[in-house]
Structure formats: structure tokens, C-alpha cells
Amino acid sequence: MREIWGIGTPRSFRPIWVCEELGLEYRHHAIGPRTGETQKPEFTTLNSKQKIPFYRDERVSLSESVAICRYLAHNFSAGQLAIPDTPEAFAKEDEWSAYIYGEIDETGLYVMRRHSDLGAIYGESPEVVRAAADYVARHLSVIASHLGERETLMSGGFGLADIMLMSCLDWCIAYGVTLPAEIQRYYEIHAARSAYGRAMRINYPDLFGGDA
């Protein structure tokens, strides 16, 4: 039995979406960040990092969203997600995924979260939030230039890098970061995917009246 722990964040959304996209059965444990649930002994025994998302099956336990999604996509896709088929393509997928996670997620959007939503913990700073938003916008322009009229980041089709980017675009929209026209078009295409809609309801039930 596959199990996923985590709810309510872009990072927990990613593996849920991959499972929904692949049609995989899994058990979902809806525990959120900073609720005390990740500090409970039973979860800490599973994941000493005390972070979500966390994934487990009979073969492996994983605690980082990129690693979880790559494992699921590369091992269980039957054509639903594009999988690189050459070393060069694998490297390009890693390049896009690392870029999105490192620059847009961690260095941009999460800095905005730290100094706005989590200001009571890390200190509120509108100046830092504005600077981080500008940083995100700069990197979105890089992606927009790459996309042009393309519908996916990789030439092989919709895959891991797109799931990484889409999860960040939801975050951008929530924080009021304007999407370039090329990215807005891209976003609308993939937000129409049925698996995306199912994953949104599971991961963000409060947006749908608590109906997951």
C-alpha cells in the first residue's frame, strides 16, 4: 500500500497530483505543517525531519517532494507522464526541476511565506516580501521565454518538471505574483487536467468547502 502524509501546501500537492495522474491507489494521511502532527512520536519515527510530504511503500520511504514525484513518475507511469529516455533528457528534467525548486520555490515563494504568513515565527518584512516577489517574477520571465508557444517544459511532453512548475504557479497566484502571458496560457492548459482538479480537492479541501 502506498501512503502519503501531508496536506495544504504546494509541496504536499505534488505527490498527490502524480498519484492521481498515474491512477495509483494510495492512502492519504491529511496532516498539515505546524499543526503539531509532524512532531508526534508516531510520525517522527517515520520521518525524523518532521516534515511533509512523506511517502512510503513496501520498497522505499521518501521525504522530499521532488524525490517522491520522480520515484513515482519514473517507476509507475504507463504513458500518463512523459519520462526522459536519454541521459541528456534526464539531465534536462533534473535541470528544470532543480531550477524551479531552488529558485522559485525555496528562494522566492517560501521566503515570501516566511516573512508574511509565518511572520510571527520569522519576522514580518514587507520589504523582503517585495524583493522575493521581484525575484520570482524575474525567473518566471526566464521560463516564459523558454515556453513561448510550447505547452510543456520538456519536448517529450507533460512530466515531472511541469508538475513542479504548476505547483509553484498556484502559489504565485495565491501571493499575487503576475504570470507572464506565456505562463498564464500554459497554466490554463494544465489546470484543466482532471487529475489536477482531483489533487486540488484532496490537498486544499478548504478551498472547496472542506469537501475532499
Side-chain angles (χ1 to χ4, degrees):
M1 173 63 74
R2 300 177 186 88
E3 297 178 89
I4 297 174
W5 285 258
I7 194 172
T9 76
R11 295 171 183 175
S12 60
F13 174 69
R14 294 163 187 161
I16 292 170
W17 185 6
V18 172
C19 281
E20 291 296 322
E21 199 73 43
L22 299 180
L24 300 177
E25 294 185 2
Y26 63 99
R27 181 180 178 188
H28 181 226
H29 303 274
I31 69 171
R34 296 180 176 82
T35 60
E37 295 169 298
T38 58
Q39 280 75 50
K40 289 182 177 179
E42 55 267 34
F43 185 77
T44 302
T45 298
L46 293 172
N47 180 16
S48 60
K49 297 175 185 176
Q50 298 182 327
K51 296 286 187 179
I52 58 167
F54 180 72
Y55 171 90
R56 179 177 69 175
D57 64 19
E58 70 277 7
R59 297 195 296 180
V60 68
S61 296
L62 296 167
S63 63
E64 299 294 333
S65 65
V66 181
I68 296 167
C69 292
R70 181 184 288 115
Y71 169 76
L72 290 169
H74 287 197
N75 287 283
F76 303 108
S77 178
Q80 303 96 327
L81 294 174
I83 307 302
D85 57 1
T86 67
E88 294 77 17
F90 270 99
K92 293 302 293 185
E93 182 182 72
D94 277 347
E95 178 185 39
W96 278 117
S97 298
Y99 176 61
I100 293 163
Y101 191 83
E103 303 301 333
I104 295 177
D105 179 320
E106 287 190 314
T107 309
L109 293 165
Y110 195 71
V111 170
M112 295 176 71
R113 175 167 164 75
R114 279 176 178 262
H115 297 288
S116 56
D117 296 347
L118 303 178
I121 300 172
Y122 298 105
E124 292 188 6
S125 177
E127 182 178 0
V128 169
V129 171
R130 285 193 298 271
D134 289 344
Y135 187 82
V136 170
R138 178 151 41 98
H139 289 291
L140 289 180
S141 69
V142 173
I143 294 173
S145 295
H146 168 76
L147 280 174
E149 295 301 314
R150 295 182 180 94
E151 294 188 2
T152 58
L153 286 169
M154 298 280 290
S155 60
F158 183 83
L160 173 62
D162 298 296
I163 284 177
M164 292 295 300
L165 178 56
M166 283 290 293
S167 67
C168 288
L169 296 182
D170 285 322
W171 204 349
C172 287
I173 292 167
Y175 279 2
V177 178
T178 301
L179 305 185
E182 298 91 342
I183 293 182
Q184 182 65 41
R185 179 188 58 82
Y186 166 95
Y187 177 83
E188 291 172 1
I189 289 169
H190 298 301
R193 300 176 77 92
S194 59
Y196 170 90
R198 293 194 301 272
M200 286 290 286
R201 286 184 171 274
I202 293 166
N203 190 64
Y204 301 113
D206 291 347
L207 297 180
F208 301 90
D211 179 14

